[in-house]
Amino acid sequence: MSKLIVQNNGPLYGEVIISGAKNAVLPLMAATLLSSKTCLIDDVPDLKDVSVMKDMLMSFGAEINSDNKEELEVKVENISTTNGDYELVKKMRASFLVMGPLLSRCGRAYMPLPGGCAIGKRPIDLHLKGFKALGAEVTEGDFFVEAKAGPGGLIGASIYLDFPSVGATENIMMAAVLAKGTTYIENAAEEPEIVDLANFLNKMGARIKGAGTDTIKIEGVTELRGVTHTVIPDRIETGTFMLAAAITRGEVLIKNIVPDHVKPIVAKLKECGVTVELLDDGMYVDARDRVLTATNIKTLPYPGFPTDIQSPFMAFLTTVKGSSEVMETVFENRFMHVNELNRMGANIKTEDRIAFVPGDSELEGTQVVATDLRAGAALVLAGLFAKETTEISQIYHIERGYEKFVEKFRKLGATIIKVEE
Ligand code: UD1
């Protein structure tokens, strides 16, 4: 098992280039199953989750060429099976995103039930509600789900999502593109990754309107062509580096960003007293020589404050003057980092979905566990501020979602090394 050893080496300083977004590239890769033609995806981050999705696509018969690591060429001329492989599915929850495309193209999909981050119950009822509305017959066993379209294939319908789930919106959108007639997804998720997927599908010949709003209209087409597309920059990685500059009281220029995608993070950092400016070549974050103060955070679906930045932001809030409240409304159990931050001296208390963060903490490095991807990032940030050494285990979570993590931090002057045990 590998570990990260992190030490406080003072303020971070310099430039960092953000990678393509993990949460955008995974659905794009799933969408390649919809066409028999070649799809080229550029700015693909080199991540564990991406390689699991590559294996997944190959298990369905995809030919993949990724000699140039940033570019991925996928061609799925024929689908060789519509059964998901449990060994792959259990490695990553997002693998469930292949269900919509398989059902749409082949009229059937069978998936063992997903694994992934341990952040509370992560049900799939809304995905299935969508498939059923499109006319599929869905069978749920204890350990699998099977969906079958009728003899005429899927049929367009109106679907209201009880919660604007990102994954359900993506899965239903992909199922509906080859359905007969028109589909409306209401109370749809509005995340930038949904817009990126809709753009990708439209370039393939789909007819999707309204992505990025709460109502998405999809007029079914009979087939999709190949596509060339560049993945949007990762807004969560962007936020993580903004917070790295803030927690170390440093000065960092963050390149390859979409400012609109990180508005709530920028607003909250400014409330704390951090300078954030949009320059021609990126986002400049300056937290040097000033007193930073507390703020309250409430996570929400986009365009609200992203749940994926809740734990890194909480790590930062432990270091500012005054106490803050952090409310998690998207996931039911996303405070596992609290225990680990408390082991470092943060003294955070939780009550149901609210964390009370006292601030002014003298964090001290110790042995901690990365319980999930973003919790891992939060602990690295805390380690960059803490006295003494922080030793973070279970870092495979971090490697699932952050490209060249150690390398990027070291370039900014952080003392961080990966050790194999
Ligand atoms: C995606 C992101 C993840 C992010 C999350 C919320 C990817 C690969 N992952 O996850 O990083 O934290 O969006 O921004 O893009 N829910 C249901 N029924 C369903 C589906 C979801 O009740 O059928 C609930 C979940 O339990 C959760 C909430 O909806 O409480 C949000 O989940 P969802 O938006 O679906 O997140 P993911 O797509 O899994």
Side-chain angles (χ1 to χ4, degrees), residues 22-24 26-27 49 92-94 96-97 117 119-129 161 163-170 189 191 193 235-236 300-302 306-308 328-332 334 353 373-374 400:
K22 168 182 94 74
N23 288 351
L26 297 174
D49 275 8
M92 184 179 68
R93 187 189 145 85
F96 198 68
L97 290 171
C117 271
I119 47 176
K121 267 193 282 160
R122 297 184 80 172
I124 48 167
D125 55 317
L126 298 172
H127 302 238
L128 302 183
K129 179 179 175 177
L161 296 181
F163 183 88
S165 153
V166 174
T169 304
E170 293 166 343
E191 268 69 1
E193 293 76 18
R235 64 196 166 97
I236 306 303
L300 286 169
Y302 191 86
T307 172
D308 285 351
E328 172 60 54
T329 76
V330 177
F331 286 105
E332 63 176 26
R334 211 172 196 183
R353 291 193 175 208
L373 167 56
R374 308 304 172 185
R400 278 187 37 219

Side-chain angles (χ1 to χ4, degrees), residues 53-55 57-58 62-66 72-75:
M53 190 54 107
K54 276 188 208 167
D55 291 344
L57 295 179
M58 287 192 286
E63 282 169 43
I64 293 195
N65 179 351
S66 54
L72 183 68
E73 190 182 312
V74 186
K75 187 174 183 192

